[in-house]
Structures are given as C-alpha cells and as structure tokens.
Amino acid sequence: MHSLDRFAQAKLDALSGRHLRRALTETVREDGIWVERGGRRLLSFSCNDYLNLTQHPAIKQAAIAAIETYGAGSGASRLVTGNHPLYAALEERLARVKQAEAAVVFGSGYLANAGIIPVLVGKDGLVLLDELAHACLFAGAQLSRGRVVTFRHNDVTHARELLAAHRAEHDRALIVTDGVFSMDGDLAPVDALLALADEHDAWLMTDDAHGLGVVGGGRGSSFTGNTHTQVPLQMGTLSKAVGAYGGYLCASAPVVDLMRNRARTLIYSTGLPPSAVAAAIAALDLIEREPAYAALPVRKARDFTRAVGLPDAQSPIVPIVIGDEQDTLDASAMLAGEGFLAAAIRPPTVPAGTARLRLTFTAQHPDEEIARLAGLVRDRILS
Ligand SMILES: *Cc1c(COP(=O)(O)O)cnc(C)c1O
C-alpha cells in the first residue's frame, strides 16, 4: 500500500473505532419536507430549509429565468466580469432587510467568514469567539493570524474578563458569535455583547446563518429584543431559510467597500451562478412580504418543545442531547424506523460527550407529525 493510502486508511480506522466515521448518504428531497433515502420515504427534521423555499414554485421560476437571461455560471470573479446585474439588486435587498447601510455577497457563508475576519483583524489583533461559534468562524479567525481566544458559551461576564485582560495588548479586537447557535438553537445576548464591545473599543460580528428569515420577524437576531440592536457586522448565509446559496455581510458603506477591496475569498473566487442570486432575491421578497409565514418554524419548534417538556424553543433548532455517539446513532435509526429523518450530530461538530439529534422545524411540517415525533422522543429517547 502506498504511504498516502496507508495514512488515510489508518485515520479512517481510528474514526470507525470511535463511532465517528461519517458517510455521505444519497438523499432525494422530494419537496420542502419529504426526502427519499435508501428507497425509503422519510419526513425530514434535519434540513435547514426552514421556510421550504428551496422548492417554492415562484423562487424556482426566478432561478430558471436568470439562467435563461444570464447563463448557468458567472464566468469569473465578481471583480473581473462575474458581477452580473442581479448582485446589486440582492445587496440592496439585504441591506434593507437588515437595516444596514450596505451589503456584500460572497460565494457561501463559509467563504464569507473566511474572508471577512482577516480583513478586520491582522497578526496584532484579537478575535474573541463564543466557544460554540460555527467552525467557519474559527477558520476565519485562524486565517487572520491574530490571537484567538474563546469565551464560555453566551457568558458575557467571561468575555468582559478576557477583554479587560487582553484588549490593551492588541491594536484591534473583534467579538464574534453566532446570532442563533447552529447546534443548540439558542440566541446570543447580542445587546449585552454590543455594549461590551463598545466599552472596550471592540467590534461585534454576528453570524446569523440560522436567524435570517426565521427570528426577529424574519430580519434575524439583531431584531429579537424590544429594540433593534445596531450590530455593526451582520453576517449570514443565503443557503438556509433563504433556500438558495451564498453568504453575505451587512455593514456600513466603508466596511463593505473595504471587503470588496480586500476580502480574499471574494476576490479570488468565482461569482455565484445568476440562478442562486435570483432565487435569493425572490426568497427575500417573500420573507419581507409574509412575516406570519416566517414565524411558523419557531412556532412549530415551540409546539414540539412544549409537548416533550423541554425549555421553549427560541429558534427552529431543537437539540436532543444524548451524549454517547452510538446511542445517538441508535436513536436516529429508531426514528428512521418510524418514518422520521433526524440526523445524528457527533463530535467534532459538537463538543465531546454531547452527541445529539439536531431537530429542525419548518413552516410546512404537519402539526400531527410533530406531535407523533414528540411522543417518540419523550417516551423512547428521553425517558
Ligand atoms: C451553515 C453555517 C455557515 C456556513 O454557511 P454556508 O453558506 O452553508 O457555507 C456559517 N455559519 C453558521 C452558523 C452556519 O450554520
């Protein structure tokens, strides 16, 4: 065996031994909620398509029309010839929804985070991250070559101690958090974090991948309190509730212009296909027009948590933490036997010892199926 293959095989064997080996499972999504896997039809509680917009007829039609007009791909980086006319419309729409001065669209949420953070912080800077922040925020922080420090999850007091201890050693400081935590479904204390940032001349960045379209009247986590929290760096994705693809940053005009000049993942990566941009515009139209529809995923998640006896859901994401990896896989298999897709999430996606089922609720999940799922989780998993 070649040393390269020996290396790969040994790594895979080690993962298998710890029940951490993963595989890609072919999945056909029939509509917003039903999927077909291995010849079986399952009701999915594992998609991030919170508003089921990936399958919305008007949105699909917008994508098809964009292909007919502008082609299947964009042909180059946005800074060369890839900046088709749909981008300006999307960025204007995003800025309006997030009440920001401007917006810039990246190739994906991951690319956005990998690009944004190194523009703002260099090797003399400090990045303070919530310990449960998404992996691509850590990737962006590491690419900045600055000092990366984590604070305990949602613990503003701990973040304050760390800033007091370290802020003076750095030229610039960035506080970074998920707005809605992707594996836990809870919200960040954005108000308190913004006040803390202001106290220490630090900048606050929220990743609202799971906020846009579903919390704060569809506008995201800066809009969940009684007043609008003026977060200066609101990042997010167009691939979840928006149902398309791409990432974005909403910020002031100079910050957005700086991103266009300096963000390497924007400059050195091809522009999005026109179809993705058109679909995102059509989806944002719908989200702005129909706040009652946008409120459904959280309402359905809350119906579920009440039926099971868990704390009220704050977002469409509800974790059922089991702990052991094999037990979690078994629980997922049990639910599949009952017709539900509830994917097992294992380390390193979540901390060791907290393997879980991560359930996501969407606008079109039937209430009676939610009740049936709640009964199974209560009686056969949590009891
Ligand atoms: C999914 C996700 C991303 C990545 O967005 P993509 O557009 O899928 O690359 C970033 N941050 C969080 C919190 C996410 O959940």
Side-chain angles (χ1 to χ4, degrees):
M1 213 190 229
H2 195 284
S3 66
L4 173 60
D5 297 330
R6 237 180 6 251
F7 160 77
Q9 197 55 56
K11 284 279 188 193
L12 289 169
D13 293 345
L15 287 170
S16 297
R18 293 156 58 209
H19 307 294
L20 292 177
R21 180 123 173 221
R22 303 174 187 213
L24 296 171
T25 307
E26 196 167 280
T27 306
V28 178
R29 298 185 63 237
E30 291 177 6
D31 63 9
I33 51 176
W34 288 95
V35 305
E36 202 192 300
R37 261 191 172 184
R40 298 201 46 208
R41 202 159 171 267
L42 299 169
L43 184 62
S44 173
F45 285 90
S46 291
C47 303
N48 298 320
D49 187 11
Y50 300 118
L51 299 173
N52 314 108
L53 299 186
T54 62
Q55 310 281 343
H56 190 287
I59 293 168
K60 290 203 279 193
Q61 209 48 55
I64 292 165
I67 291 176
E68 297 292 354
T69 307
Y70 299 110
S74 73
S77 163
R78 294 188 62 189
L79 280 125
V80 185
T81 60
N83 197 45
H84 47 80
L86 296 168
Y87 266 116
L90 176 57
E91 289 175 343
E92 194 208 320
R93 192 67 49 98
L94 279 167
R96 186 168 85 208
V97 168
K98 306 294 271 179
Q99 292 183 22
E101 206 174 18
V104 54
V105 170
F106 291 78
S108 71
Y110 199 114
L111 286 172
N113 283 334
I116 295 163
I117 298 174
V119 173
L120 299 172
V121 173
K123 68 176 174 27
D124 297 325
L126 172 67
V127 186
L128 203 59
L129 285 148
D130 187 289
E131 63 184 346
L132 296 186
H134 194 266
C136 60
L137 291 166
F138 281 89
Q142 270 147 14
L143 285 170
S144 78
R145 297 181 300 137
R147 180 169 178 185
V148 180
V149 178
T150 58
F151 58 94
R152 286 189 296 271
H153 177 51
N154 276 351
D155 187 340
V156 181
T157 305
H158 189 215
R160 175 172 288 109
E161 285 164 16
L162 291 168
L163 272 177
H166 301 302
R167 174 67 185 93
E169 300 153 25
H170 300 278
D171 58 352
R172 296 185 293 276
L174 187 65
I175 303 175
V176 182
T177 184
D178 288 20
V180 175
F181 283 86
S182 58
M183 295 297 137
D184 294 80
D186 53 342
L187 306 182
V190 283
D191 269 350
L193 287 172
L194 184 62
L196 175 66
D198 288 346
E199 278 167 37
H200 290 273
D201 185 28
W203 305 325
L204 177 64
M205 172 172 168
T206 54
D207 176 337
D208 235 0
H210 300 277
L212 179 65
V214 285
V215 302
R219 293 172 190 270
S221 62
S222 305
F223 299 84
T224 49
N226 293 327
T227 56
H228 167 212
T229 308
Q230 307 261 357
V231 177
L233 299 156
Q234 300 180 82
M235 172 273 162
T237 177
L238 304 168
S239 65
K240 286 160 187 168
V242 175
Y245 202 70
Y248 66 85
L249 176 69
C250 291
S252 68
V255 168
V256 162
D257 207 18
L258 183 64
M259 292 299 155
R260 292 182 176 141
N261 280 274
R262 302 293 293 180
R264 298 175 69 86
T265 56
L266 181 82
I267 299 170
Y268 299 107
S269 190
T270 300
L272 282 166
S275 51
V277 177
I281 295 169
L284 288 169
D285 271 350
L286 187 143
I287 290 165
E288 278 193 289
R289 217 171 45 233
E290 302 198 28
Y293 186 73
L296 285 175
V298 178
R299 199 215 80 203
K300 295 200 180 235
R302 202 162 288 164
D303 290 347
F304 173 84
T305 50
R306 287 187 182 165
V308 174
L310 291 169
D312 270 356
Q314 296 175 279
S315 76
I317 302 165
V318 178
I320 307 293
V321 177
I322 294 172
D324 178 73
E325 287 82 28
Q326 190 58 49
D327 290 347
T328 308
L329 293 169
D330 292 346
S332 176
M334 182 278 285
L335 289 176
E338 298 288 339
F340 296 123
L341 173 57
I345 308 284
R346 290 169 284 166
T349 306
V350 292
T354 71
R356 66 194 66 184
L357 303 177
R358 171 183 179 271
L359 303 177
T360 52
F361 293 82
T362 78
Q364 290 171 16
H365 276 119
D367 291 333
E368 59 280 10
E369 292 293 334
I370 292 173
R372 192 165 74 84
L373 176 67
L376 289 166
V377 168
R378 194 185 49 225
D379 300 339
R380 295 183 52 189
I381 297 177
L382 294 178
S383 63

